[in-house]
Amino acid sequence: MSWSWRFETAAGEPADPGDLATAEFSAQGDAESWLGEFWRELAEAGVAQVRLFEDGREVYGPMSLAAQQE
């Protein structure tokens, strides 16, 4: 199995994550851990939301990268 992220604008259009474009991950947890480390940098690069895919099948999304207000 391979896991990958699709990066999108707030309108759902493809977004360019710049240097943070990733290869595929071998496990869902690896993909999610990577996103947990780099979501702020992705948001700064113009990515507004992401979708997680397993072997081309959407698992979940869109998930906003906007910081939560406390």
Side-chain angles (χ1 to χ4, degrees), residues 3-70:
W3 299 81
S4 60
W5 292 105
R6 182 166 67 193
F7 308 104
E8 300 179 345
T9 65
E13 298 297 321
D16 180 4
D19 292 339
L20 295 173
T22 61
E24 296 179 348
F25 300 90
S26 60
Q28 181 176 357
D30 293 340
E32 292 171 335
S33 291
W34 179 89
L35 185 65
E37 292 180 36
F38 293 102
W39 71 269
R40 285 181 180 88
E41 290 91 335
L42 289 165
E44 289 171 5
V47 176
Q49 61 190 27
V50 295
R51 296 176 190 267
L52 182 63
F53 286 82
E54 175 192 18
D55 293 330
R57 177 186 64 86
E58 186 173 331
V59 176
Y60 62 79
M63 182 173 66
S64 174
L65 297 184
Q68 295 294 317
Q69 300 295 323
E70 292 188 31

